[in-house]
Amino acid sequence: MELPRAAYRAAFDDAPDGLAIVDPETGTIRDCNRRYRELHGGGECRGQDVTDHVVPIRDGEGELLDRLDAAATDDEPTNCRLRAAESVPVELRLSSITVEAADLLLVRVTEIEEGAEKRRDRKRKARAIDEAPIGITITDPAQADNPLVYVNDEFERLTGYSAGEALGRNCRFLQGPETDSARVAELREAIDAEEPVTVELRNYRNDGSEFWNRVTIAPVHDETGELVNFVGFQEDITAQRQDRAELELAHELLETVPSGVARTDLTPEGTFEYVNPALVSCLGADSADQLCEYDFADFYVDPSDRAELLEELSEGDTDDVSRETQLVTLDGDVRDVIVTASVSEDDSGERHVHKIIQNITDRKRNERALERYERLVESLPIGVYQNTPGSDGTFTLLNDAMVDIFDADSKAELREQPVRDLYVDPEKREAFSERLREEGAVTEAELKLRTLSGEELWAAVTAIARDTEEGTVFDGVLQDITTRKEYEQRLKEQRDNLDILNQVLRHDIRNDLQLVTAYTDFLGEHVDEEGEEYVETIRQSADHAVELTRTARDIADVMLTADRDRHRVDLWQSLESELDEVRSKHSGAAITVTGSVPEISVVADEMLDSVFRNLLTNAIQHNDSTIPEVDVAVEERPETALISIADNGPGIPDRQKEGVFGKGEKGLESSGTGIGLYLVETLVEAYGGDVWVEDNDPRGAVFFVELPKVESADS
């Protein structure tokens, strides 16, 4: 009985091997079953070239095509790998069949059982690699720059880079500027030589954090000896290196630390079991063996210190105990030390005392010297400080005098102030700081500073720049020289004024005396009517000389008096006395007073008379009118008194108004000197007043003097 066509089709589709019907002339697949499609990735296979689906292991593709052309039947199987899954080895058999009178080939693909087991083994290995607790990488040396083609999960966790971010890149992307170039070169040489190598490198994760990576690279060769790839193992050994470094450091420290280290038993005497070189030196021994001949108790100046220390340890309230004490060396010297002790128990249950002995003899000596120094610094009447440089410099050390100088409430308040804010001109701070850095020391620099209350002061600063472990600092002393500077300024002004006075007096008196001498020559023994004119000239010149000497005396008195005693002065009395005197000396002048002079008092002194005398005399002597006219008026204002003295002389040009009170000012045609006007301005300003000049109408000048009034309550 012939089976139905559907049964054949079902048997074809459900066959356990991959089956494909192929045109022997073209190699085109006419039909294939489900298993064949699965082996080739599950896609459509009909119409494709069968030779595109397989990769021969030993035979070339050309032989396979030859066999197809020859329509070989029941040939020996050909071992192949599928292009869709090259890791799957298969047997490929060819058979001739006839379908609907057409001669075709049946290609049967059978998965090799041994290959399946190996594939399962490979899957197990792949899963083990993926889940391995260390980072595993595979690189492809056949590609340029040996890129990563595989990384496992632990590599992603270890480095912070996903597989997508890592694949295609060389492993050196984990390196940074701190990676040891020598170890990298060692790794590179081994890779070039196709030899296994292990190095420890400082690497960097994706987030920038560093870790120590133990990298092992091993080459993988195929059965022909050709290099296939490199397998890498990456292990985070940061903690291991730290532990190893700490152990090495601890051992090194025991032998090299400047503090003494000892281990003794727990007996009252404390027999030495171990001492380091520092303790040998501290106790004046020649060697550790020599020191171990003694008990630790033998070295205490006061043995009770050790007993109390052990008692405190035995109470168990703390892990370690520290105490300042004194030890005596084998040479008899006394050492100030700090003993820190702790108790441990070894595997056998025996207890030991571990001690760190810090020699603080020098420190204690320095502390005592520092205490004396600090007492000295605090008692100094000048400021002593230390501050940091730069625009944001701050005080780090201060004495009490600095607090007083800058009107601070405390040292803490002054430390909070940036140093530059204490300068009237902050740029001076920058210049001083730069100079100090360049020269290393600055002596007696005079700086204008400002206190916390806003008062300005002059200070003489001497400072040095010094390098410390924390950086450069400025150590200095500061003395308030405000009083000295003010005194120096007054002396300078007095010297300048006296110099001017000397020049002016010599010049004017010399001129007057020349006139006296010249006209005296004309007088002879007898004077006739013609000689009377010369006598008058002599008289005027002599009077002028007397007036000059009087003004000079007033100026000298003003300049040599540091602080004038200003007080209440009756304005009318002072003005009236000078009006009377000037009228008597200059009878040819018309001197009037407009209105009445109010009975008021002003802030001045006995030199106020000189102010009015010089202004009145100036108005007459510098007058070119036939009859000099002078008009005086007084106006009482709310807080001041305004005195005006007007004349009908030539007036003062605008360009000279501001300087008319200056040193040695005088009119171009005037025989006067202007020294009196300088005295006027000096006195008026000392009284807290003001003086200026304006044009008179229709001609001449008006001098105004404004003086502060004294209120009746003050009188």
Side-chain angles (χ1 to χ4, degrees):
M1 177 180 171
E2 185 177 356
L3 293 175
R5 181 179 180 84
Y8 286 107
R9 184 69 200 182
F12 179 80
D13 286 339
D14 295 336
D17 291 339
L19 301 177
I21 298 174
V22 178
D23 186 334
E25 295 182 0
T26 64
T28 302
I29 298 174
R30 301 278 294 274
D31 197 1
C32 62
N33 70 348
R34 185 182 303 107
R35 180 58 179 161
Y36 188 90
R37 289 193 296 274
E38 288 175 355
L39 289 173
H40 288 280
E44 180 59 58
C45 296
R46 286 190 292 267
Q48 298 180 6
D49 191 330
V50 70
T51 59
D52 290 339
H53 288 186
V54 295
V55 179
I57 295 177
R58 291 184 177 85
D59 299 331
E61 288 189 12
E63 183 179 344
L64 177 62
L65 292 175
D66 293 343
R67 291 164 56 199
L68 288 174
D69 292 339
T73 303
D74 293 328
D75 192 8
E76 291 295 323
T78 301
N79 292 330
C80 300
R81 289 193 180 95
L82 302 178
R83 288 192 186 276
E86 292 187 7
S87 60
V88 180
V90 295
E91 289 181 345
L92 189 146
R93 296 176 182 272
L94 303 176
S95 302
S96 298
I97 62 173
T98 301
V99 178
E100 296 179 353
D103 294 329
L104 301 173
L105 284 177
L106 176 65
V107 178
R108 185 172 66 198
V109 181
T110 304
E111 186 175 356
I112 300 174
E113 287 301 319
E114 180 183 7
E117 180 61 29
K118 287 183 178 181
R119 187 169 69 257
R120 285 191 294 272
D121 183 55
R122 280 195 300 272
K123 288 181 179 179
R124 287 192 296 269
K125 291 179 180 179
R127 186 162 52 252
I129 290 174
D130 286 338
E131 299 174 359
I134 63 173
I136 298 177
T137 61
I138 299 175
T139 61
D140 185 0
Q143 299 185 48
D145 206 25
N146 194 23
L148 290 167
V149 295
Y150 169 82
V151 296
N152 72 342
D153 294 343
E154 178 61 18
F155 177 88
E156 294 180 325
R157 188 203 64 76
L158 173 64
T159 65
Y161 289 93
S162 66
E165 293 172 311
L167 296 181
R169 303 170 69 180
N170 188 282
C171 279
R172 61 173 169 267
F173 74 88
L174 297 175
Q175 299 171 17
E178 299 297 325
T179 301
D180 189 337
S181 58
R183 300 286 78 77
V184 173
E186 180 183 349
L187 184 67
R188 185 72 263 170
E189 290 175 1
I191 291 175
D192 292 343
E194 298 182 13
E195 297 176 351
V197 63
T198 299
V199 295
E200 294 181 0
L201 297 174
R202 190 194 305 270
N203 281 178
Y204 295 85
R205 298 184 178 90
N206 196 8
D207 61 6
S209 61
E210 67 176 33
F211 69 100
W212 279 96
N213 192 3
R214 179 184 287 131
V215 180
T216 298
I217 301 295
V220 178
H221 300 88
D222 62 13
E223 59 269 21
T224 66
E226 183 178 355
L227 178 65
V228 177
N229 49 44
F230 284 101
V231 176
F233 303 92
Q234 323 247 346
E235 182 180 4
D236 185 354
I237 59 168
T238 305
Q240 298 176 30
R241 281 185 64 93
Q242 185 174 353
D243 292 343
R244 186 172 67 202
E246 289 176 353
L247 287 173
E248 293 174 353
L249 179 61
H251 177 73
E252 182 181 352
L253 284 176
L254 287 176
E255 295 298 313
T256 61
V257 292
S259 299
V261 178
R263 186 177 77 170
T264 65
D265 59 32
L266 206 57
T267 63
E269 296 78 14
T271 303
F272 284 112
E273 297 174 349
Y274 166 80
V275 293
N276 75 335
L279 187 59
V280 173
S281 175
C282 177
L283 297 180
D286 295 330
S287 65
D289 292 339
Q290 180 189 11
L291 201 57
C292 289
E293 296 174 1
Y294 296 86
D295 297 332
F296 195 27
D298 298 336
F299 293 93
Y300 276 84
V301 172
D302 184 355
S304 65
D305 286 349
R306 182 175 185 274
E308 292 174 1
L309 185 145
L310 291 178
E311 182 180 355
E312 191 172 348
L313 269 177
S314 64
E315 292 175 354
D317 295 335
T318 181
D319 294 333
D320 56 64
V321 178
S322 293
R323 180 181 297 275
E324 279 195 22
T325 186
Q326 289 184 317
L327 303 179
V328 60
T329 70
L330 295 180
D331 299 329
D333 294 332
V334 175
R335 299 274 192 264
D336 290 298
V337 299
I338 296 176
V339 178
T340 301
S342 60
V343 177
S344 68
E345 187 174 304
D346 60 22
D347 295 338
S348 64
E350 186 177 357
R351 303 181 73 196
H352 306 271
V353 179
H354 302 272
K355 298 184 181 71
I356 298 175
I357 298 90
Q358 184 180 0
N359 186 355
I360 60 171
T361 304
D362 291 339
R363 193 189 81 186
K364 295 293 285 186
R365 182 169 55 249
N366 291 338
E367 285 178 355
R368 290 188 285 269
L370 182 59
E371 289 174 1
R372 293 193 297 270
Y373 167 77
E374 288 178 344
R375 288 197 299 271
L376 173 63
V377 168
E378 290 299 338
S379 63
L380 288 174
I382 60 176
V384 179
Y385 70 88
Q386 180 184 94
N387 66 270
T388 56
S391 58
D392 297 327
T394 56
F395 290 113
T396 53
L397 292 175
L398 296 163
N399 71 341
D400 290 338
M402 287 287 289
V403 177
D404 294 338
I405 290 172
F406 287 99
D407 294 335
D409 292 332
S410 64
K411 291 180 180 179
E413 182 184 18
L414 193 52
R415 287 194 188 100
E416 293 175 357
Q417 303 298 318
V419 177
R420 71 190 308 270
D421 289 352
L422 301 178
Y423 281 69
V424 172
D425 182 358
E427 292 184 0
K428 297 291 185 182
R429 155 70 179 172
E430 303 300 327
F432 179 77
S433 181
E434 185 64 26
R435 178 185 171 193
L436 192 52
R437 274 193 290 257
E438 291 178 356
E439 300 179 8
V442 175
T443 303
E444 291 290 320
E446 295 186 354
L447 303 171
K448 199 168 187 180
L449 307 177
R450 181 183 291 109
T451 69
L452 299 191
S453 61
E455 297 292 329
E456 293 184 359
L457 63 92
W458 279 97
V461 180
T462 296
I464 62 171
R466 183 167 58 88
D467 292 329
T468 68
E469 292 181 358
E470 291 76 20
T472 301
V473 296
F474 294 162
D475 296 322
V477 294
L478 180 151
Q479 184 176 7
D480 185 350
I481 60 169
T482 305
T483 302
R484 190 187 82 190
K485 289 291 289 184
E486 292 174 349
Y487 179 69
E488 289 175 352
Q489 182 63 25
R490 285 197 299 270
L491 288 179
K492 181 180 183 302
E493 292 175 356
Q494 289 172 357
R495 285 194 300 269
D496 292 345
N497 293 336
L498 288 173
D499 180 59
I500 295 165
L501 178 63
N502 181 46
Q503 294 179 31
V504 173
L505 286 179
R506 282 189 305 169
H507 175 268
D508 288 314
I509 292 175
R510 183 171 59 248
N511 288 345
D512 289 342
L513 291 177
Q514 286 174 351
L515 288 173
V516 171
T517 302
Y519 288 116
T520 301
D521 290 342
F522 285 102
L523 289 177
E525 295 180 356
H526 304 282
V527 177
D528 53 18
E529 291 183 0
E530 185 179 358
E532 291 178 358
E533 181 181 352
Y534 300 113
V535 172
E536 178 62 20
T537 302
I538 293 173
R539 182 186 63 77
Q540 291 179 359
S541 296
D543 289 344
H544 187 205
V546 171
E547 188 65 32
L548 281 175
T549 57
R550 187 174 181 181
T551 303
R553 181 197 65 194
D554 292 342
I555 289 180
D557 183 47
V558 171
M559 290 188 298
L560 296 175
T561 302
D563 295 310
R564 303 203 59 81
D565 182 19
R566 297 185 300 169
H567 53 272
R568 176 181 179 277
V569 175
D570 185 86
L571 176 60
W572 170 243
Q573 183 178 355
S574 176
L575 183 57
E576 185 179 31
S577 65
E578 291 306 314
L579 284 169
D580 291 341
E581 182 176 345
V582 173
R583 285 191 181 109
S584 66
K585 290 184 178 181
H586 302 279
S587 58
I591 303 174
T592 60
V593 177
T594 299
S596 61
V597 177
E599 295 183 2
I600 55 177
S601 298
V602 294
V603 177
D605 59 15
E606 63 276 7
M607 294 294 292
L608 181 59
D609 294 351
S610 183
V611 171
F612 298 137
R613 181 173 63 252
N614 278 280
L615 288 176
L616 291 169
T617 302
N618 184 76
I620 296 172
Q621 289 182 345
H622 293 207
N623 202 311
D624 59 355
S625 298
T626 303
I627 299 177
E629 296 178 1
V630 179
D631 183 69
V632 179
V634 178
E635 176 188 347
E636 183 177 6
R637 293 183 171 183
E639 296 181 359
T640 62
L642 182 64
I643 303 96
S644 62
I645 300 175
D647 63 60
N648 62 342
I652 299 175
D654 290 342
R655 67 179 182 278
Q656 295 181 9
K657 282 187 173 66
E658 291 187 3
V660 72
F661 299 100
K663 301 171 182 178
E665 288 290 340
K666 56 187 290 186
L668 295 177
E669 304 299 329
S670 172
S671 60
T673 64
I675 189 171
L677 294 181
Y678 174 67
L679 175 62
V680 167
E681 183 182 52
T682 302
L683 288 170
V684 171
E685 288 184 351
Y687 301 151
D690 194 11
V691 59
W692 67 94
V693 63
E694 297 180 4
D695 293 334
N696 195 13
D697 186 23
R699 73 187 303 266
V702 183
F703 284 82
F704 293 92
V705 176
E706 188 172 25
L707 298 172
K709 289 195 313 182
V710 177
E711 298 297 334
S712 58
D714 297 334
S715 59

